[in-house]
Amino acid sequence: MADLITLLSERLAAAFDTVAGTAGNDPVVRPSDRADAQANGALPLAKQLGRNPREVAEAVVAAAELDGVATAEIAGPGFINLTIDDDFLGATVASVAADERLGIARQASRRIVVDYSAPNVAKEMHIGHLRTTVIGDAVVRMLTFLGHDVIRENHIGDWGRPFGLLIQYLLDEAAAGTIDLEHLPLHALDDAYKAANTRFAEDPEFAERGRARVVLLQQRDPETIALWTRLVEASEDYWTELYGKLGILLTNDDVVGESFYEDLMPKVVQQLHDAGLLQESDGAQVVFPPGFTNRDGDPLPLIVRSSAGAFTYATSDLACVADRTGRLGADTLVYVVGAPQSQHLAMVFAVSEMAGWLTPPAEAVHVPFGNVLGPDRKMLKSRSGDPVRFIDVVDEAITRGVAAVAEKNPELVGDARESIGHAVGIGALKYFDLSTDRIKDYVFDWDRMLSFDGNTAPYLQYAHTRICSLFRRAEVDRATVRSLAPQVREPAERALAVRLLGYEAAVLETVERYSPHRLCTYLYELSSDFTAFYEHCPVLRAESDEIRLSRLALSDLTARVLAHGLGLLGIEAPEQM
RNA sequence: GCUCCAGUAGCUCAGUCGGAUAGAGCGACUGCCUCCUAAGCAGUAGGCCGCAGGUUCGAUUCCUGCCUGGGGCGCCA
């Protein structure tokens, strides 16, 4: 435990209890711009005791055991400003540097299913898949690092009427000789998917054959399933390519599509019936979870079987919950799904609890996010008005990253330019998405995301490369500086050291709220602190060997935290750029 | 109509469990490279924290109401 806030809180809590004469008082220690930290707890305590706040603060300081840790000073109406002792600061930094986990302990392991990305078979992924994919992947990486048993699930759309229609369309076209079933690239499937829907609406004979094909699919007719399987495989190949370029952990092993839940849905409905939760409403089988109302103020149903007898996406989502807590034994279900699904998921979770599929302490969490907007502040569209293809965005990010690297550092050529440019471009794309509060919409802007100034991936990556460059020039093995306690004297050194010790809190806070932008903000502040340090404190030309090594130690830990933090976000940290 | 989310500098965004003088980046203006990567650093200017009440020693933060924008509200997923 290297977190200064926690450490100071513990030290001061005892003093607060002594002064208050009661237990459990909160010292309210917070980061401060006037000291390394400040304790605000004396003000409410004074109020409670009916005493003067400054007197209370003084009594607390007198009772506090801070020797060798920090000095305290009363300021203003009763704030306690805390300044960490330089030696203690250096020693604490050293304890983090000696730890491969950078001071972050493993948590009590939970089994956590993270549901993210969720593309559709035979359809292009579009810009709408960017956020769920990137945020979900960062969440997976962070939870895994904290020691949890994380199960990635890619809940693909692979079943139901659209696929019956698509298959019938493909068979018709193959018979007419306009399509080669042996050669079905994804863009052709995407076209066919749309064409099948159009033909369904316009051609009654096709509509009839299509419906029949839907039934054959449901019945798992071998010929139909054979073609369906190829559609799925073609789509998986496509996703694999995209995820590979983007650096996403999802693989085909993580695919659990709607088709998987097909068999479970009758059981789900049966269990709802057995539990007495099922009601008939306008010919549909529904559950009314308490607390949800429709536009007329009447109870709002979750429809698990339509009046036509079909299962709905609600049924499939319920089956999903039951499967994840049941078969997989998950404690926590995380859904990285857009904000518009908020009510739907809340209802699914509510019904799951009613049915006993989601029993505390098991919990389901919706991690919602806003939209990616175009310059007109509306949903991002391509010039033609079609949705922007995800793969095009990924490719353009790489192209722009390579171009940026080529421009800034012409000496980098060949494979190095390509791979570093890739890391910069993809990093920029991901970081731009992750660095704003996920609940808000953001305006997509290539220039800003690839800027080397401000809160961007290239800025962070550059800070990292500067440190790597220092070590190349110093000809010092980085591992050798990890066992020494840096001297922390200069303001820029202190600021950097204090920031380094905040990494644990930043990560824990980020995970607790499933808000990657908190980690981004931390890493940006760390980079800023480092560049200020780099500017004001000569490293290689320090006045003594001792200070040189000390500053190399601070630099090394900074680079490790940067690379590690970026890694948790799914972003690479090249050694040069 | 009900409900969820958002509203902070000209622009793009942070702001932790209620703490002191609300912070960055861009843009504007000033300085700083014979010196570890100037892809940078230091500084200046720029604010009705949507509006109005309330709670509190203290409110951008919590509560209520309103305004603006977006989403959701029975058989699509």
Side-chain angles (χ1 to χ4, degrees):
Chain A
M1 174 57 69
D3 179 51
L4 294 175
I5 301 293
T6 308
L7 192 144
L8 291 168
S9 293
E10 287 167 357
R11 296 273 178 151
L12 287 171
F16 270 87
D17 287 351
T18 304
V19 173
T22 57
N25 291 277
D26 184 2
V28 196
V29 179
R30 299 284 182 270
S32 175
D33 49 0
R34 298 164 184 243
D36 294 327
Q38 62 184 62
N40 305 326
L43 286 95
L45 179 58
K47 181 76 178 173
Q48 180 194 319
L49 298 175
R51 293 175 56 185
N52 176 292
R54 285 191 70 104
E55 279 176 27
V56 171
E58 277 165 28
V60 167
V61 169
E65 289 180 25
L66 292 170
D67 284 355
V69 174
T71 53
E73 202 172 307
I74 317 284
F79 299 108
I80 302 170
N81 287 342
L82 298 159
T83 303
I84 306 292
D85 289 355
D86 292 349
D87 289 343
F88 183 79
L89 194 50
T92 311
V93 167
S95 74
V96 174
D99 180 8
E100 285 187 3
R101 295 182 56 84
L102 299 170
I104 303 176
R106 283 194 170 77
Q107 296 183 334
S109 182
R110 287 175 290 156
R111 178 164 291 187
I112 305 175
V113 172
V114 182
D115 181 325
Y116 68 112
S117 199
N120 258 293
V121 162
K123 284 180 80 175
E124 285 285 358
M125 291 183 81
H126 54 84
I127 190 71
H129 292 101
L130 171 67
R131 303 211 71 186
T132 172
T133 305
V134 169
I135 294 167
D137 212 54
V139 166
V140 165
R141 289 169 193 266
M142 291 187 281
L143 290 171
T144 303
F145 172 64
L146 290 181
H148 298 294
D149 180 10
V150 180
I151 301 171
R152 301 181 295 265
E153 285 214 354
N154 197 357
H155 190 146
I156 63 168
D158 67 351
W159 202 249
R161 201 191 72 153
F163 297 97
L165 300 185
L166 172 60
I167 289 166
Q168 188 58 48
Y169 178 90
L170 292 171
L171 291 171
D172 285 4
E173 291 298 306
T178 55
I179 276 185
D180 177 7
L181 290 181
E182 301 303 315
H183 180 66
L184 292 171
L186 195 103
H187 64 85
L189 290 178
D190 189 73
D191 290 344
Y193 189 101
K194 291 173 192 153
N197 276 306
T198 308
R199 187 173 293 178
F200 179 80
E202 292 172 354
D203 179 348
E205 283 181 38
F206 174 77
E208 201 169 314
R209 283 202 306 285
R211 281 194 205 92
R213 185 63 64 181
V214 173
V215 173
L216 284 172
L217 180 65
Q218 300 283 1
Q219 293 170 344
R220 310 234 171 209
D221 162 65
E223 184 201 8
T224 307
I225 288 293
L227 185 48
W228 173 82
T229 301
R230 284 166 57 194
L231 302 182
V232 173
E233 285 171 356
S235 303
E236 286 180 343
D237 290 348
Y238 183 76
W239 306 329
T240 298
E241 183 194 344
L242 188 148
Y243 293 148
K245 283 181 178 177
L246 191 57
I248 297 298
L249 298 171
L250 288 168
T251 70
N252 291 342
D253 292 341
D254 304 318
V255 167
V256 188
E258 285 162 352
S259 58
F260 175 84
Y261 299 103
E262 188 71 1
D263 295 339
L264 303 177
M265 292 199 281
K267 295 179 199 162
V268 160
V269 173
Q270 184 63 43
Q271 285 180 39
L272 289 171
H273 175 265
D274 293 347
L277 298 172
L278 215 54
Q279 297 185 38
E280 186 173 323
S281 174
D282 296 338
Q285 299 293 310
V286 308
V287 180
F288 290 104
F292 295 90
T293 54
N294 67 14
R295 65 182 79 238
D296 300 319
D298 298 326
L300 184 66
L302 191 69
I303 297 170
V304 297
R305 189 152 213 176
S306 76
S307 54
F311 298 122
T312 68
Y313 72 113
T315 330
S316 138
D317 285 341
L318 288 171
C320 223
V321 172
D323 182 59
R324 290 171 183 181
T325 57
R327 180 178 63 92
L328 296 174
D331 312 302
T332 306
L333 312 182
V334 178
Y335 289 77
V336 186
V337 173
Q341 303 258 29
S342 175
Q343 187 184 49
H344 166 71
L345 285 173
M347 292 177 76
V348 168
F349 298 162
V351 170
S352 296
E353 282 193 49
M354 293 163 74
W357 298 314
L358 191 61
T359 310
E363 58 169 357
V365 185
H366 180 205
V367 178
F369 51 85
N371 296 314
V372 180
L373 306 179
D376 56 359
R377 295 207 69 99
K378 293 185 175 171
M379 296 275 282
L380 189 64
K381 292 273 167 60
S382 70
R383 206 163 293 173
S384 62
D386 296 328
V388 176
R389 299 201 313 165
F390 196 173
I391 190 74
D392 291 343
V393 172
V394 170
D395 286 338
E396 185 162 359
I398 295 167
T399 304
R400 285 178 182 261
V402 171
V405 169
E407 185 198 332
K408 303 283 190 183
N409 189 352
E411 290 169 23
L412 267 180
V413 293
D415 290 348
R417 175 185 287 179
E418 292 300 314
S419 67
I420 291 168
H422 183 112
V424 169
I426 293 297
L429 176 66
K430 286 180 164 180
Y431 192 88
F432 196 67
D433 193 285
L434 294 169
S435 62
T436 55
D437 191 355
R438 60 176 161 71
I439 199 64
K440 296 182 181 177
D441 297 344
Y442 72 84
V443 177
F444 195 87
D445 185 334
W446 285 116
D447 291 335
R448 209 161 40 239
M449 79 177 69
L450 279 152
S451 167
F452 290 79
D453 297 308
N455 189 11
T456 66
Y459 178 84
L460 303 192
Q461 289 169 323
Y462 178 59
H464 179 260
T465 63
R466 283 182 129 177
I467 297 169
C468 294
S469 167
L470 272 180
F471 277 91
R472 280 195 297 271
R473 285 173 181 268
E475 294 181 344
V476 169
D477 180 1
R478 284 177 59 177
T480 62
V481 299
R482 288 174 193 168
S483 53
L484 62 91
Q487 298 177 30
V488 188
R489 302 281 183 275
E490 297 293 322
E493 291 174 321
R494 298 193 92 264
L496 180 58
V498 170
R499 185 74 68 190
L500 284 166
L501 297 181
Y503 184 50
E504 179 189 31
V507 170
L508 296 182
E509 230 170 58
T510 298
V511 171
E512 196 176 333
R513 298 163 189 243
Y514 302 100
S515 290
H517 84 283
R518 290 188 169 267
L519 181 55
C520 294
T521 301
Y522 169 82
L523 294 173
Y524 173 57
E525 287 169 342
L526 176 62
S527 299
S528 298
D529 288 336
F530 175 77
T531 46
F533 159 82
Y534 182 84
E535 208 61 42
H536 295 111
C537 300
V539 177
L540 300 183
R541 292 189 318 277
E543 57 255 48
S544 70
D545 282 353
E546 202 181 358
I547 293 178
R548 183 170 182 264
L549 282 173
S550 164
R551 289 180 179 165
L552 282 170
L554 282 173
S555 300
D556 169 67
L557 183 56
T558 302
R560 287 165 69 201
V561 171
L562 278 176
H564 190 265
L566 285 169
L568 291 181
L569 297 171
I571 296 170
E572 291 177 66
E575 296 198 351
Q576 54 175 333
M577 58 191 274

